[in-house]
Amino acid sequence: MIELLVDNRDLFLTGFRNTILLFLLAGIGALVVGTLLAAMRVSPVPVLRLLGGGYVNIFRNTPLTLVFFFFAFAYPRLDLLDVSFFTRAVLALIVYTAAFVCEVVRSGINTVDVGQAEASRALGLTFTQTLTTIVVPQAIRSVVPPLTSVLNALLKNTTVAAGFAVAEAGQITPTLSERGASVLIGMVWIAIGFLILVIPLTATQRTLEKRWSVAR
Amino acid sequence: MSSPAKATPPMIRLVGVHKRFGSQPVLKDINLEINRGEVVVVLGPSGAGKSTLCRTINRLEPIDAGRIEIDGVALPAEGRALARLRADVGIVFQQFNLFAHKTIVQNVALAPVLVRKLGKADARQAAMQLLARVGISDQADKYPAQLSGGQQQRAAIARALAMRPKVMLFDEPTSALDPEMVQEVLDVMTSLVQEGMTMLVVTHEMGFARRAADRVVFMSVGEIVEDSPPDQFFTAPRSDRAKDFLGKILTH
């Protein structure tokens, strides 16, 4: 079993390196875009709320493969900036995952009692101070577990990029079968690889939850 | 200098204030002045608009028409000017609204640091003095949820006082408390009255109104129906609505 890993280490190394890269870039992008979308959805401006809501409804209900199809086949015809398959895969993952991040962050903000923001404003704190010192620190706590699930799903969704010529971990098995190696054993190794990748995510969740958990 | 009241504007002045929720009017042509050092208690049946009146004074509820002045300055619209003015107007809520993720002393010291730009050590020291004054300095490093309702409300009063406000608003401060905790909060409020704080108090505590108020304002369905000294209000109310209200609460 070990020989397969050693013999094809080039394959596993590029595969998982690309998976990690896709995950990190798409994860950061989705967190930023998703948080902005959430801010739009709770803002007092109706147009922004409408746009944010529309975005979430469209992309949360579209299969990821369809989003990938768009970036793989439709995007080049739009005559926009010509970018690599890898970049387009990252974009597809961001566009899709941001909708889920948005809803998680928004539900987190909604768990904070309005009285907290009222007391803060009544003391003379500005809108930004209220958001950053009172609302968000309390919202983040309830957001950590569901946000970890969203990022976990993102990690697994990176395998869809394999279908679009990005050599990430999902691309390993087809290449193994071309080389005549055992696909079954290859899959076991890939599963182990993903398990190892999930460990830091779960550990981070546990640390953050512990740090932010206080009696309330 | 014989009449300083004319030289200095009232601490709070409401002129022709109107407010509606949807099609439902909640404040109808409210005119009210509260002078420096005066204590005004607002009474009335639920739904009379007492809390709304209290919350319009620091613009937690925006008004539809009329004018509100604090210490001679018109209440600004949203933005930094409003935040500055709110810093001078303390408010105590029915539900305490202490910051759940901060300890008691952090709750009290937070705004002086962020808004008044006080040093952290100074703010903490001042906060500890205030907590001692309301009798809960031994609770300073606990979180709000670990305190009793009465202790939480006293902490909330200390938090408002930490900004050295010109005026204090109390929005039913004892209505969410168990009966045995009401007195400890009223005691703190009474000590503020004795120090000469300008106060507007929405409450159902008739004893406090009798003892501490300079004036009683009686509201009913969005209007100020009576505005008189407590003795007069409780012994000889003029309006039928006030008589009806007192008849309901004083019979048992």
Side-chain angles (χ1 to χ4, degrees):
Chain A
M1 210 174 142
I2 285 284
E3 304 94 81
L4 182 135
L5 193 62
V6 177
D7 292 347
N8 300 286
R9 60 182 179 280
D10 57 326
L11 210 54
F12 280 92
L13 281 177
T14 15
F16 274 105
R17 200 203 57 192
N18 279 336
T19 293
I20 293 171
L21 218 55
L22 274 174
F23 170 72
L24 287 179
L25 292 173
I28 292 167
L31 284 176
V32 171
V33 177
T35 307
L36 289 177
L37 283 169
M40 282 167 72
R41 290 206 73 178
V42 299
S43 82
V45 186
V47 181
L48 291 180
R49 283 205 301 271
L50 207 71
L51 284 174
Y55 181 98
V56 168
N57 276 323
I58 291 170
F59 288 104
R60 206 167 51 148
N61 296 322
T62 308
L64 176 59
T65 39
L66 222 60
V67 180
F68 264 103
F69 272 125
F70 172 82
F71 277 98
F73 304 118
Y75 179 88
R77 298 191 173 202
L78 291 178
D79 271 341
L80 297 170
L81 198 64
D82 189 24
V83 291
S84 68
F85 268 116
F86 183 84
T87 312
R88 277 187 260 160
V90 170
L91 284 177
L93 287 168
I94 289 177
V95 162
Y96 179 78
T97 313
F100 292 88
V101 172
C102 165
E103 289 304 88
V104 166
V105 171
R106 189 173 68 100
S107 68
I109 287 174
N110 284 341
T111 60
V112 182
D113 184 65
V114 282
Q116 298 282 306
E118 267 186 2
S120 168
R121 285 187 291 147
L123 283 165
L125 273 70
T126 61
F127 177 77
T128 322
Q129 286 174 330
T130 299
L131 208 63
T132 53
T133 60
I134 305 300
V135 179
V136 169
Q138 294 188 64
I140 272 183
R141 278 180 212 171
S142 45
V143 156
V144 169
L147 205 55
T148 311
S149 301
V150 169
L151 291 177
N152 211 323
L154 167 66
L155 180 61
K156 291 181 282 183
N157 284 340
T158 54
T159 51
V160 178
F164 298 87
V166 175
E168 45 67 71
Q171 186 74 9
I172 294 172
T173 37
T175 318
L176 278 179
S177 80
E178 276 168 32
R179 292 184 183 178
S182 163
V183 173
L184 192 68
I185 293 176
M187 289 223 261
V188 171
W189 279 117
I190 292 166
I192 292 173
F194 271 99
L195 276 179
I196 292 171
L197 287 185
V198 170
I199 289 170
L201 259 186
T202 321
T204 313
Q205 172 186 349
R206 213 168 292 146
T207 316
L208 291 182
E209 271 189 83
K210 204 172 283 175
R211 186 189 305 170
W212 286 326
S213 79
V214 295
R216 47 167 181 165
Chain B
M1 296 302 287
S2 57
S3 59
K6 271 183 186 161
T8 53
M11 190 56 94
I12 299 174
R13 173 189 270 157
L14 287 85
V15 185
V17 168
H18 286 266
K19 160 98 188 159
R20 49 175 66 241
F21 288 135
S23 62
Q24 181 77 29
V26 282
L27 294 178
K28 293 182 265 187
D29 193 28
I30 299 290
N31 294 286
L32 181 66
E33 288 191 4
I34 300 176
N35 289 315
R36 217 163 291 268
E38 218 176 3
V39 176
V40 171
V41 169
V42 182
L43 301 178
S46 59
K50 308 181 298 288
S51 282
T52 310
L53 172 72
C54 184
R55 290 160 55 86
T56 57
I57 293 170
N58 63 357
R59 212 174 189 279
L60 284 179
E61 298 283 358
I63 57 174
D64 297 324
R67 201 169 73 247
I68 297 176
E69 291 171 13
I70 308 286
D71 204 6
V73 180
L75 204 57
E78 294 295 329
R80 283 187 180 274
L82 179 64
R84 258 197 304 280
L85 184 130
R86 278 175 173 156
D88 289 335
V89 179
I91 185 166
V92 175
F93 301 92
Q94 184 177 348
Q95 299 296 338
F96 330 131
N97 293 346
L98 290 171
F99 304 132
H101 62 312
K102 304 262 181 205
T103 62
I104 296 302
V105 65
Q106 286 170 343
N107 262 276
V108 180
L110 179 81
V113 172
L114 287 179
V115 180
R116 298 271 193 242
K117 309 298 176 198
L118 217 65
K120 279 201 171 144
D122 292 344
R124 193 190 154 88
Q125 201 187 351
M128 287 308 296
Q129 280 169 6
L130 279 166
L131 290 177
R133 185 173 142 190
V134 299
I136 50 168
S137 45
D138 52 334
Q139 313 290 328
D141 293 314
K142 290 188 184 166
Y143 285 92
Q146 297 168 290
L147 270 61
S148 73
Q151 290 171 328
Q152 287 191 56
Q153 193 61 299
R154 286 187 276 158
I157 294 174
R159 178 176 69 175
L161 290 176
M163 296 301 284
R164 300 182 180 282
K166 293 176 179 174
V167 51
M168 287 282 286
L169 310 172
F170 291 85
D171 184 5
E172 303 207 20
T174 57
S175 298
L177 297 177
D178 291 337
E180 73 270 24
M181 292 168 184
V182 169
Q183 198 53 48
E184 63 192 50
V185 171
L186 290 180
D187 286 345
V188 172
M189 290 167 64
T190 306
S191 76
L192 282 178
V193 173
Q194 283 157 1
E195 284 166 31
M197 176 65 80
T198 310
M199 291 163 63
L200 178 118
V201 184
V202 176
T203 187
H204 294 291
E205 294 299 324
M206 299 301 147
F208 179 81
R210 261 181 203 275
R211 270 182 287 107
D214 295 308
R215 278 157 59 202
V216 167
V217 166
F218 175 73
M219 287 183 76
S220 175
V221 285
E223 290 171 316
I224 292 182
V225 182
E226 280 197 43
D227 183 345
S228 49
D231 278 351
Q232 190 186 326
F233 178 78
F234 284 108
T235 53
R238 279 163 302 179
S239 65
D240 288 341
R241 279 191 275 186
K243 281 176 196 160
D244 183 49
F245 174 73
L246 288 171
K248 275 179 189 152
I249 54 161
L250 296 180
T251 44
H252 53 260

